[in-house]
Amino acid sequence: MTLALGCIADDYTGASDLANTLTRCGLRTVQTIGVPSNDLALPDVDAVVVSLKSRSIEASLAVSRSRAAEKWLRGRGAAHVLFKICSTFDSTDDGNIGPVMDALRADAGDAIVLVTPAFPETGRTVYQGNLFVGSVPLNESPLRDHPLNPMHDSNLVRVLARQSKTRIGLVALADIARGPDAVRARLADLSKQGFGAAIADAVFDGDLETIGAVALDHRLSVGASGVGLGLARALVASGRVKPNASDAISEAPVGGPAACLAGSCSQATLQQIARAEEAMPVLHLEADKAVAGKDEARRALAWAKDRLKQSPILIASSSTPEQVAALQARHGRDAAGHAIEQAMADIAEGLVQAGVRRLVVAGGETSGAVVDRLAIPGFLVGAEIAAGVPVLRAVGASHGPMLLALKSGNFGGPEFFSDALKLMR
Ligand code: ADP
């Protein structure tokens, strides 16, 4: 197998977002959790997104992990690698975007790298090098108060210059609008002047397509899912990838018992649980007991055992904001959250031991805890159940074929659990 595109994402949810974008553009895509082992057996895919958690760690660690991911992807034949960053350019003067870009650029041997976090469909646009979040510049958006990476400068040429060892130039919208050859000429000019990277303006999807087409001349690009979209469309347009319906679903059905777990306490998830009560047996965990020890997870598994043979089931820890606040006051916010995540992971593990191979999980952190516990190395990304929530087929899992849906709390319509199970056969 030769990958048409390799991607290194600096966080898990950003990786899923990118994998979902590539799949929608017709690329068969696997998302891996961390740098995969060399013997991971992959289905025949066009793109692999390696998910790291490197956005806010020490720069030298982010560099070494990203280089390991790049090595793995190049080893699988990836001619082009996208370093996927946040569409709000989350970083500090110490990194990690600049240091990782510099290291990957050195490894790739590229003279100049195109960089843009633009993703117009989510309101991220770049003009004259300035990043806008919706209608306001980055430094006036809520990102100015981000707890880890407060963004006080919307001019990305300046922001990246503070993090990188190379000179940072600009490919302005006027050049982008004139098409790929104008962008190539501008890059050649910048490169001759000693610039090693350039922020590219982009306001519409068409701008991303131009950027994607030019980026494919190079071995490395840096950007958010918008560049992923541009690269994917350019790969399809140039005939290098034949667009495929995703086979995460169309492959052989997995069958067997199905279960849902809800650890999100978001309004959307609470409403989805209420709807699911009409369609399947639902067990509400006692949150205090789940925090106290393993007995509550055991009780849930005993409850599930026979019911699973009849129909899908749902086990939820979710409760109202008042109940959540009360539990947090008793146990501390992080301790309560972590303990319930681990209870959900215990339950997921028990359900899989009981034969469950179709699992829907509501809650971002909850999903992370479940996936880590099940030690699933990666996923083939399938069709969307709801915006941003695809069906996932486990790749390389020790317990064999398995379908999952992992949704962050607020995603999905009121019938989300039934909608998911309909697509997960
Ligand atoms: P979301 O995607 O909605 O943010 P997460 O799973 O990321 O959902 O976060 C929900 C957090 O709330 C998790 O840490 C989870 O363990 C915790 N939690 C779940 N149920 C309860 C509860 N009844 N009381 C307090 N915290 C809870």
Side-chain angles (χ1 to χ4, degrees):
M1 181 195 58
T2 301
L3 293 177
L5 181 64
C7 305
I8 305 165
D10 67 355
D11 88 335
Y12 283 13
T13 44
S16 309
D17 179 31
L18 173 61
N20 193 40
T21 300
L22 299 178
T23 304
R24 278 193 290 136
C25 293
L27 270 58
R28 287 162 309 161
T29 305
V30 159
Q31 175 188 354
T32 69
I33 307 298
V35 181
S37 62
N38 275 330
D39 58 358
L40 176 68
L42 280 183
D44 200 16
V45 291
D46 305 305
V48 170
V49 180
V50 176
S51 333
L52 301 179
K53 277 186 189 158
S54 57
R55 185 169 296 168
S56 306
I57 62 176
E58 200 198 313
S60 62
L61 267 181
V63 166
S64 59
R65 289 183 192 162
S66 304
R67 292 185 71 198
E70 188 204 17
K71 195 165 169 223
W72 188 92
L73 291 163
R74 301 280 187 210
R76 301 281 170 136
H80 188 87
V81 168
L82 165 64
F83 170 40
K84 157 74 174 70
I85 57 168
C86 185
S87 65
T88 48
F89 218 76
D90 293 15
S91 53
T92 67
D93 287 354
D94 296 327
N96 290 340
I97 298 173
V100 172
M101 176 186 79
D102 289 350
L104 296 183
R105 173 174 162 250
D107 288 350
D110 268 352
I112 189 160
V113 181
L114 274 169
V115 182
T116 188
F119 196 19
E121 71 179 52
T122 58
R124 277 38 159 182
T125 56
V126 179
Y127 180 64
Q128 298 295 349
N130 290 276
L131 174 58
F132 289 81
V133 179
S135 59
V136 295
L138 179 66
N139 62 326
E140 292 174 27
S141 78
L143 273 298
R144 70 183 164 193
D145 301 317
H146 190 284
L148 300 177
N149 307 304
M151 300 303 291
H152 297 301
D153 188 356
S154 60
N155 185 314
L156 300 183
V157 176
R158 279 196 305 249
V159 172
L160 189 55
R162 287 194 289 266
Q163 300 176 22
S164 167
K165 291 204 164 64
T166 187
R167 290 176 74 200
I168 312 296
L170 173 69
V171 183
L173 196 61
D175 285 324
I176 304 276
R178 284 166 52 226
D181 285 341
V183 176
R184 288 185 179 106
R186 171 71 180 152
L187 284 177
D189 194 34
L190 284 170
S191 176
K192 217 184 299 162
Q193 295 175 52
F195 290 88
I199 300 291
D201 281 352
V203 176
F204 298 108
D205 280 5
D207 303 328
L208 296 172
E209 288 168 16
T210 299
I211 291 167
V214 177
L216 285 181
D217 300 348
H218 304 251
R219 281 168 58 76
L220 177 71
S221 54
V222 177
S225 293
V227 177
L229 180 139
L231 287 164
R233 289 194 182 166
L235 284 166
V236 170
S238 67
R240 273 178 265 191
V241 168
K242 201 158 71 49
N244 278 285
S246 170
D247 36 18
I249 290 178
S250 58
E251 267 184 28
V254 165
C260 308
L261 295 174
S264 164
C265 302
S266 67
Q267 285 303 319
T269 301
L270 293 175
Q271 192 190 6
Q272 289 156 354
I273 295 169
R275 286 294 181 91
E277 307 253 15
E278 296 160 21
M280 63 187 88
V282 177
L283 176 72
H284 292 273
L285 295 180
E286 289 190 37
D288 269 308
K289 289 195 181 147
V291 173
K294 300 256 181 205
D295 282 351
E296 188 63 355
R298 281 192 208 106
R299 180 177 79 92
L301 288 169
W303 174 89
K305 196 165 169 242
D306 288 332
R307 289 180 175 82
L308 274 175
K309 293 178 193 146
Q310 317 297 328
S311 83
I313 56 141
L314 167 62
I315 298 172
S317 68
S318 322
S319 46
T320 60
E322 299 74 41
Q323 289 165 323
V324 170
L327 189 89
Q328 290 177 340
R330 285 195 291 280
H331 301 281
R333 196 189 60 184
D334 290 350
H338 181 73
I340 295 180
E341 285 161 30
Q342 289 311 306
M344 287 307 219
D346 290 343
I347 294 170
E349 196 175 13
L351 289 172
V352 170
Q353 275 162 11
V356 168
R357 293 293 179 273
R358 295 179 291 150
L359 186 65
V360 182
V361 188
E365 293 298 328
T366 309
S367 297
V370 166
V371 166
D372 283 349
R373 180 67 67 83
L374 297 180
I376 298 174
F379 306 105
L380 182 61
V381 181
E384 280 184 306
I385 302 159
V389 192
V391 175
L392 302 171
R393 182 178 286 263
V395 169
S398 54
H399 36 70
M402 178 163 189
L403 295 179
L404 293 104
L406 308 173
K407 92 172 183 90
S408 23
N410 272 317
F411 283 32
E415 306 286 346
F416 177 77
F417 291 110
S418 299
D419 292 346
L421 292 169
K422 263 184 225 146
L423 285 182
M424 297 164 67
R425 280 165 296 135

